[in-house]
Amino acid sequence: PQKVDVNRSYSLQELKSYTLKLNSEKANIDPSLSKSFTSSYCQMLEGSIKLSLQKTNPEFQYINAGSDLNVDVTLEELNGGSAAARFWIGFGAGCTVSTVYVKVLKGQELMAEGRITETTTLTNLVTGNYSNEDALIQDVPQLSRKIAEFVNDPVKFKKESQP
């Protein structure tokens, strides 16, 4: 389930740099997905997160170490669903599931954490998105945008993500 916890003193004011760490070692990966796809997916997700963070916080600079803010993203689940069910049934049947757990830290202090999920429920007939891998790749920009929105303002993200 979606989860968001935020430290009351959360603020990005005065912060100029961030590091991003993406971990997928303990992820629940759909066995039908190849290891090479999973590795490429993680690289694509990491790059997309950096672009989304740059868009929501243009003053932020990515650096490898010694930053003001640490963003730790753990891939928890990557499931391709069923391409046939998405095509023939739709309406959520056969949907993909991409789930990450995000922690935002200032130094060693945990400022916010949350679980974020993205799904694709319909086949994209315009782009020819039929396979499970294509559907998961389609999820990357939306998932990255949600992560950037969470880092930018987790309180607002929590309000908007609750049903």
Side-chain angles (χ1 to χ4, degrees), residues 3-140:
K3 172 193 172 184
V4 175
D5 290 327
V6 184
N7 186 320
R8 291 178 187 227
S9 65
Y10 191 92
S11 172
L12 296 180
Q13 289 182 340
E14 309 290 325
L15 301 179
K16 302 289 182 210
S17 62
Y18 74 95
T19 59
L20 174 65
K21 183 170 64 172
L22 179 63
N23 182 354
S24 62
E25 292 175 10
K26 296 182 182 178
N28 179 17
I29 306 290
D30 183 338
S32 70
L33 301 172
S34 71
K35 289 189 188 245
S36 63
F37 171 79
T38 304
S39 174
S40 297
Y41 175 90
C42 290
Q43 289 175 348
M44 184 177 178
L45 179 61
E46 184 175 349
S48 188
I49 293 169
K50 289 177 184 175
L51 288 171
S52 294
L53 283 170
Q54 182 181 21
K55 187 175 180 180
T56 59
N57 300 295
E59 69 281 359
F60 274 13
Q61 295 295 316
Y62 171 79
I63 59 174
N64 286 327
S67 67
D68 300 328
L69 190 71
N70 299 313
V71 180
D72 292 344
V73 178
T74 303
L75 181 63
E76 291 187 328
E77 181 176 10
L78 194 60
N79 190 317
S82 169
R86 279 192 305 277
F87 183 78
W88 292 109
I89 300 169
F91 305 105
C95 69
T96 64
V97 178
S98 304
T99 303
V100 296
Y101 197 80
V102 181
K103 291 182 182 179
V104 181
L105 301 104
K106 276 187 187 174
Q108 298 300 319
E109 182 183 1
L110 181 63
M111 299 303 291
E113 61 183 328
R115 179 170 291 110
I116 302 171
T117 299
E118 183 60 39
T119 62
T120 291
T121 57
L122 296 171
T123 300
N124 188 337
L125 298 173
V126 174
T127 62
N129 175 1
Y130 298 106
S131 75
N132 293 342
E133 290 85 356
D134 288 342
L136 285 167
I137 289 169
Q138 179 178 306
D139 291 345
V140 170

